[in-house]
Amino acid sequence: MGQTISKKIISWYKKHQRSLPWRSYTSSSDRDYKVLLSEFMLQQTKVSTVVPYFNKFYKKFRTIKALSKSRITSVLKLWEGLGYYRRARNLHQTAKLVLQKHNGKLPDSFSDLKNLPGIGDYTASAILSIAKDQSFIGIDGNVKRVISRVFNLKHNKKLLLSIEKKLNSMKVKKGSSELMQGIMELGALLCLPTRPGCTKCPIKSHCISFKKNTFKDRAKKKSYQIKYFNAFFITKNNKILFSFNKKFNFLQGLVNLPLVEVATNKHNATINKVFKKGLISSSSAPLVKYKMSNFVMHIKVISLSNVIFNKTKYFWLGQKDIKKFTISTLAKKLLQVSSNHEK
Ligand code: SF4
């Protein structure tokens, strides 16, 4: 049955696939590069968000070699707004290593790919399948949902193992790339978390969940932990005080307003711990809520004046200087809220 399902998925994919910029290529090396770039960008990010970033990035860096020779600051600038900046740094490092160790050619073995920064089991499988047409299938959220529904798999600790077994029975000698992309596309277009479009599905006659009408994994609302922060908005002579906030991994050392985590939602005054001296210049401080992948930040934006600070940690930037740096999306939001609040 696995093989019949695969054939149906491949032929459906050939007719119904979305036209995406990484799906057309001029050569095998162009295909390798586009798949590598798209897989990095698509980690934790929606296709619709990635497309304009992919186009902009590809326009500037057309090959792995061009990317490897670039400065990290230019790469981060192009990535600005896409978030999870570690991906950009890893991609840049990966391009350098591919040039140094693999003569500029993206490796075609699972272990070699996994030795590159930012490439785990899923990305290595996806690259081998999509770019190299090897018989691998990476298991992402879409693949997991489609396969567990088709075979009505139990959602227990062994789910991943059961999915791998079923995928093994579906592997094909020809068309591995289309099969993997087809399963993902089915998950993205028809086999949605809620209200799947089963009537249009090419494999509904094989789908046990459809026949039994049992959709156990309907969208569960993810619960997020809340973390509390104070951000400081400090201006002087048309300049704003910034920091690299290296302490917070999720900011990846990007330029941001000075930020400190606080223990409770009372956002206790922490000025003395952050600055040597400073006066609160506004009695009210707006609250900004910002969602990260695993938690939600509740940030009080406190306006300060007469600040004395450690010059190795903080620095002033004027409007022109700001454009030269990669400003985190969070910083942009904080700046917007602070400016509106000051008006
Ligand atoms: S029949 Fe429905 S549940 Fe089954 S794979 Fe297709 S869309 Fe998903």
Side-chain angles (χ1 to χ4, degrees):
M1 183 163 85
Q3 292 294 305
T4 314
I5 293 174
S6 296
K7 278 183 196 152
K8 288 188 178 178
I9 291 176
I10 292 172
S11 92
W12 173 84
Y13 174 72
K14 284 181 179 167
K15 282 188 212 139
H16 298 278
Q17 64 176 284
R18 286 166 294 176
S19 157
L20 296 171
W22 47 89
R23 286 183 177 162
S24 62
Y25 42 86
T26 54
S27 64
S28 60
S29 58
D30 187 44
R31 185 188 201 184
D32 284 357
Y33 176 52
K34 282 180 169 167
V35 171
L36 177 77
L37 177 57
S38 63
E39 284 303 325
F40 269 77
M41 287 189 163
L42 286 164
Q43 288 165 14
Q44 320 222 36
T45 311
K46 285 190 293 190
V47 167
S48 55
T49 308
V50 165
V51 169
Y53 282 91
F54 179 93
N55 288 334
K56 202 166 57 157
F57 202 96
Y58 182 75
K59 206 171 162 195
K60 173 94 178 165
F61 303 120
R62 299 196 89 87
T63 59
I64 289 182
K65 191 175 175 187
L67 176 58
S68 72
K69 303 271 180 203
S70 67
R71 285 165 179 255
I72 184 63
T73 44
S74 322
V75 174
L76 288 171
K77 195 73 194 155
L78 284 168
W79 207 275
E80 195 174 285
L82 195 56
Y84 306 106
Y85 292 85
R86 181 168 305 215
R87 296 178 297 175
R89 293 179 193 277
N90 283 337
L91 177 66
H92 189 236
Q93 267 307 108
T94 284
K96 282 181 180 293
L97 288 171
V98 168
L99 198 73
Q100 284 164 17
K101 295 191 172 172
H102 303 280
N103 218 7
K105 193 176 176 299
L106 197 62
D108 48 17
S109 91
F110 190 78
S111 56
D112 282 347
L113 279 170
K114 274 204 63 185
N115 278 333
L116 295 168
I119 298 189
D121 285 358
Y122 167 76
T123 308
S125 302
I127 290 171
L128 290 175
S129 160
I130 300 171
K132 313 277 189 183
D133 216 13
Q134 290 188 30
S135 100
F136 281 83
I137 303 177
I139 304 175
D140 72 346
N142 282 333
V143 174
K144 198 170 162 186
R145 190 170 57 255
V146 172
I147 300 304
S148 61
R149 281 176 172 174
V150 174
F151 297 100
N152 201 23
L153 302 175
K154 283 193 181 138
H155 284 244
N156 56 23
K157 282 183 191 162
K158 291 182 183 162
L159 178 63
L160 216 58
L161 215 67
S162 311
I163 291 174
E164 277 169 8
K165 266 192 192 168
K166 294 298 177 190
L167 286 174
N168 278 337
S169 76
M170 290 173 65
K171 283 184 178 169
V172 288
K173 287 198 177 103
K174 250 180 133 185
S176 292
S177 175
E178 282 139 341
L179 176 61
M180 172 157 179
Q181 293 185 85
I183 303 173
M184 292 199 303
E185 200 75 335
L186 202 57
L189 301 182
L190 289 180
C191 197
L192 305 172
T194 47
R195 298 192 192 160
C198 301
T199 50
K200 290 184 187 162
C201 180
I203 50 169
K204 61 177 184 287
S205 60
H206 305 279
C207 178
I208 303 173
S209 293
F210 173 62
K211 286 182 198 164
K212 292 188 172 176
N213 198 17
T214 53
F215 297 107
K216 289 183 182 163
D217 53 344
R218 280 178 193 245
K220 288 179 204 141
K221 231 182 168 195
K222 194 173 169 184
S223 62
Y224 290 90
Q225 186 198 355
I226 298 174
K227 293 188 179 184
Y228 302 96
F229 295 83
N230 286 345
F232 299 99
F233 181 62
I234 306 154
T235 56
K236 190 180 172 188
N237 301 332
N238 290 326
K239 292 189 171 182
I240 302 170
L241 196 70
F242 283 98
S243 152
F244 278 117
N245 289 295
K246 287 188 180 147
K247 202 174 148 202
F248 301 113
N249 267 342
F250 56 86
L251 290 173
Q252 302 294 322
L254 298 179
V255 172
N256 204 345
L257 293 186
L259 189 74
V260 62
E261 188 168 358
V262 291
T264 69
N265 61 356
K266 290 186 180 123
H267 297 270
N268 308 332
T270 52
I271 296 163
N272 291 340
K273 283 187 191 161
V274 184
F275 302 109
K276 290 175 186 161
K277 198 180 147 197
L279 288 175
I280 294 179
S281 54
S282 168
S283 55
S284 63
L287 179 71
V288 172
K289 293 182 182 175
Y290 192 79
K291 210 186 235 180
M292 303 299 293
S293 57
N294 297 320
F295 60 93
V296 180
M297 299 172 81
H298 282 200
I299 310 163
K300 278 267 181 195
V301 191
I302 301 169
S303 295
L304 291 183
S305 58
N306 296 339
V307 174
I308 298 181
F309 55 87
N310 180 339
K311 287 192 178 140
T312 59
K313 285 189 181 169
Y314 306 102
F315 48 90
W316 296 107
L317 291 181
Q319 283 305 324
K320 274 189 189 162
D321 311 318
I322 289 176
K323 287 187 186 134
K324 292 181 202 153
F325 287 85
T326 306
I327 310 281
S328 67
T329 313
L330 171 62
K332 284 182 185 163
K333 186 163 183 182
L334 294 176
L335 282 172
Q336 194 189 14
V337 171
S338 321
S339 314
N340 290 344
H341 189 69
E342 296 278 295
K343 279 176 192 167

